[in-house]
Amino acid sequence: MALFRFSAKRCLEAQKIGSTATNVLRPLSDASTDLKKVLSEKIPKEQERVKAFRKSHGSVKVGEVTVDMMYGGMRGIKGLVWEPSVLDADEGIRFRGKSIPECQKVLPKAAGGAEPLPEGLFWLLITGDVPTDAQVKAVSEEWAARSAIPSHVTKMLNDFPKSLHPMTQFSAAITALNSESVFVKAYSSGVHKSKYWDAVYEDTMNLIAKLPVVAATIYRNTYQNGKGLGSVDANKDWSWNFSSMLGYDNPQFVELMRLYLTIHSDHEGGNVSAHTTHLVGSALSDPYLSFAAGMNGLAGPLHGLANQEVLVWLQKLRSQVGDSPSDEKLKDFIWNTLKSGQVVPGYGHAVLRKTDPRYTCQREFALKHLPDDSLFKLVSQVYKVVPPILLETGKVKNPWPNVDAHSGVLLQYYGLKEMNYYTVLFGVSRALGVLAALVWDRALGLPIERPKSLSTDLLMKSVKAA
Ligand code: CMX
């Protein structure tokens, strides 16, 4: 288990459940840096706003459902409310209305750093406000104070075989962490439903704080014989601590992690990991169980695992056509991928119809820090060659790259070469968005999710009758 550079008393206090956990870290009078206090002032106002909206407009139609949508993965059906972010098909993601370049500009940065701190993004996602430096620092401190993981989870991780996929280890450890759930204790003690959000918030803060320790333990166990985990430094930010526990102290790598953990956080509510977390949470399963379910979805090759698949595919490409192939050779390789019934990983998207801005900002990072890297050059060449081919197939709706097409090359450059691990990094970041949303799900009192399904026979009958 990671050791703690924080006074033992303070650490113990911070691990306590309930509203006292935030207060041990700063004086009560300093309300502006108290995230829970800020949130508890916003929630009643938002509850009233939504209540009034539903009263005046509850029966207004916002869309239609066609037979194709039902067989086609529910594309385009507006069926969810999701507060932290909205995805535009052409423009990409906006976190509480802010694009990625805007977030890069306005969110607080580490001293001497250029990339936003994920703590600030979390504050933005959950409150809707751009935080101050002091507010972000308070979140860093709070996550450091809540970061210790229970010994049964450490033992379980240490007992796993190295051959077990890191995402399987990650999901299992998150599930087992529900021994710590504040929500479970509150629910079983009969807490009123108006207080659910408070317990979900505590679990959210604890879980986000513990994820880097869990993820770094998995990395050290799987690739470094369990050695060298190190400790959480209460004076450092979340990404610095995560990088350090992984064993990376290059300041550029830490900056990359700050960017990476910011941009992978949220992609509105309908994607598999977000929707699953929301769905499972709607049964009042606690945030640990809900998030673990989301992580099992992120582990699929059409979703988060695509970042691993991109590297596997690039390695195969290199071994077959070399490091700097001609465009013609590259085209042949891509067509062979398609003809053998496989997808080109990192390309296409269910909603986006342009190059993913998460791809673009990683490309800009590469242009700034590793413009001459041979793998980056290959990734750039693939960017030029793949889209026209996917268009030529006549069926791919979005031929452009998504976030997963670029993350691996950056990690490879800084020495994090274990590609099976990449989706765990994605998962650590994804917690910020989906757990912020889960707090709001409970604050707004959203009910158990239960859409209607039809059999093909019944659907045919309904269509005939219509
Ligand atoms: N390579 C080859 N074929 C592709 C393709 C790609 N990159 N993207 C889409 N297609 C194919 C689909 O498989 C589908 O083929 P069939 O009709 O034969 O089944 C057809 O084009 C139409 O699909 P679509 O409507 O364009 O895409 P979907 O909304 O169904 O799927 C996605 C979206 C992301 C699953 C798909 O583009 C894909 O498989 N991409 C590669 C995997 C990937 O990069 N996933 C990561 C996405 C981002 C993330 O969640 O992390």
Side-chain angles (χ1 to χ4, degrees):
M1 183 197 283
L3 296 173
F4 216 104
R5 281 178 229 148
F6 218 70
S7 88
K9 184 164 173 279
R10 210 170 174 201
C11 171
L12 271 176
E13 281 173 330
Q15 291 291 315
K16 275 191 210 154
I17 61 167
S19 57
T20 50
T22 50
N23 299 338
V24 296
L25 298 171
R26 54 192 164 272
L28 264 177
S29 58
D30 189 7
S32 66
T33 60
D34 185 336
L35 176 54
K36 190 171 181 182
K37 194 164 187 298
V38 171
L39 204 52
S40 62
E41 280 160 13
K42 283 183 179 284
I43 283 173
K45 291 181 198 147
E46 192 58 15
Q47 285 169 336
E48 278 312 306
R49 196 169 76 102
V50 171
K51 198 171 152 196
F53 176 55
R54 289 186 65 178
K55 200 168 169 211
S56 59
H57 293 87
S59 58
V60 173
K61 281 187 187 161
V62 290
E64 288 181 338
V65 180
T66 64
V67 171
D68 268 349
M69 284 167 155
M70 289 177 69
Y71 284 102
M74 299 194 278
R75 296 288 181 286
I77 297 180
K78 292 180 193 132
L80 288 169
V81 174
W82 190 263
E83 306 295 357
S85 67
V86 177
L87 181 59
D88 179 87
D90 293 322
E91 198 187 42
I93 195 67
R94 276 185 181 268
F95 301 121
R96 292 281 186 172
K98 298 213 161 0
S99 67
I100 287 181
E102 283 164 3
C103 285
Q104 284 177 298
K105 209 167 155 195
V106 300
L107 289 178
K109 298 160 186 68
E115 301 300 342
L117 288 161
E119 289 90 325
L121 196 265
F122 178 72
W123 188 293
L124 174 67
L125 291 177
I126 199 162
T127 67
D129 299 334
V130 173
T132 62
D133 287 351
Q135 286 169 330
V136 165
K137 192 168 185 319
V139 175
S140 298
E141 285 175 5
E142 189 158 348
W143 287 353
R146 292 172 182 248
S147 65
I149 63 174
S151 57
H152 72 87
V153 173
T154 310
K155 185 173 179 317
M156 185 179 93
L157 288 171
N158 293 348
D159 286 345
F160 279 147
K162 284 181 188 167
S163 54
L164 193 61
H165 193 282
M167 275 306 278
T168 312
Q169 298 187 45
F170 191 54
S171 156
I174 294 163
T175 299
L177 273 173
N178 99 315
S179 57
E180 310 308 290
S181 176
V182 173
F183 181 79
V184 167
K185 289 188 190 91
Y187 190 82
S188 63
S189 71
V191 69
H192 192 276
K193 59 186 179 182
S194 64
K195 295 273 189 301
Y196 285 172
W197 77 263
D198 185 309
V200 169
Y201 173 85
E202 292 300 329
D203 279 351
T204 290
M205 294 296 275
N206 287 333
L207 177 50
I208 292 173
K210 293 173 197 322
L211 286 176
V213 181
V214 170
T217 304
I218 293 168
Y219 184 72
R220 294 290 188 165
N221 282 349
T222 310
Y223 306 111
Q224 296 180 354
N225 293 318
K227 295 201 172 75
L229 182 63
S231 58
V232 168
D233 185 338
N235 295 312
K236 300 286 190 187
D237 62 270
W238 192 59
S239 314
W240 190 98
N241 276 316
F242 188 19
S243 306
S244 159
M245 286 187 287
L246 288 170
Y248 294 84
D249 56 6
N250 179 342
Q252 253 180 42
F253 178 85
V254 179
E255 277 288 279
L256 172 63
M257 287 311 289
R258 289 173 182 137
L259 177 66
Y260 184 105
L261 295 171
T262 295
I263 63 172
H264 286 77
S265 59
D266 205 34
H267 219 224
E268 72 171 34
N271 68 78
V272 171
S273 53
H275 187 193
T276 306
T277 306
H278 164 83
L279 168 68
V280 175
S282 82
L284 298 187
S285 303
D286 65 69
Y288 297 92
L289 298 183
S290 307
F291 181 61
M295 289 301 93
N296 288 339
L298 193 75
L302 295 189
H303 191 18
L305 201 80
N307 65 18
Q308 167 187 321
E309 296 296 291
V310 167
L311 257 289
V312 172
W313 184 81
L314 284 171
Q315 277 195 346
K316 196 169 154 202
L317 189 161
R318 274 170 137 181
S319 73
Q320 287 188 18
V321 297
D323 271 357
S324 36
S326 65
D327 284 358
E328 286 316 306
K329 280 201 157 170
L330 196 53
K331 280 179 193 166
D332 288 347
F333 181 86
I334 292 158
W335 275 114
N336 284 340
T337 301
L338 295 173
K339 281 177 191 157
S340 59
Q342 291 158 28
V343 294
V344 177
Y347 281 76
H349 200 272
V351 180
L352 276 171
R353 294 297 176 255
K354 291 272 166 67
T355 295
D356 190 336
R358 299 172 300 174
Y359 176 95
T360 308
C361 76
Q362 292 184 94
R363 180 172 161 75
E364 279 160 9
F365 189 96
L367 285 167
K368 184 170 165 193
H369 296 292
L370 44 133
D372 300 323
D373 179 62
S374 64
L375 191 56
F376 171 54
K377 284 185 175 161
L378 187 60
V379 165
S380 303
Q381 191 184 0
V382 168
Y383 184 24
K384 192 178 72 180
V385 173
V386 166
I389 294 178
L390 290 183
L391 275 179
E392 213 179 313
T393 66
K395 63 174 184 176
V396 179
K397 295 195 187 64
N398 174 37
W400 302 106
N402 59 60
V403 66
D404 297 318
H406 215 302
S407 45
V409 59
L410 299 173
L411 297 167
Q412 291 275 314
Y413 178 79
Y414 291 104
L416 207 163
K417 293 190 187 283
E418 298 86 357
M419 51 196 94
N420 281 11
Y421 186 75
Y422 291 172
T423 313
V424 174
L425 298 177
F426 194 155
V428 171
S429 171
R430 188 45 56 106
L432 303 179
V434 302
L435 293 173
L438 204 60
V439 173
W440 277 103
D441 287 351
R442 298 291 75 79
L444 295 178
L446 303 187
I448 187 164
E449 202 164 272
R450 185 36 171 111
K452 175 77 184 129
S453 66
L454 301 179
S455 65
T456 293
D457 281 346
L458 188 54
L459 183 56
M460 285 177 168
K461 256 194 205 164
S462 318
V463 168
K464 216 171 160 192

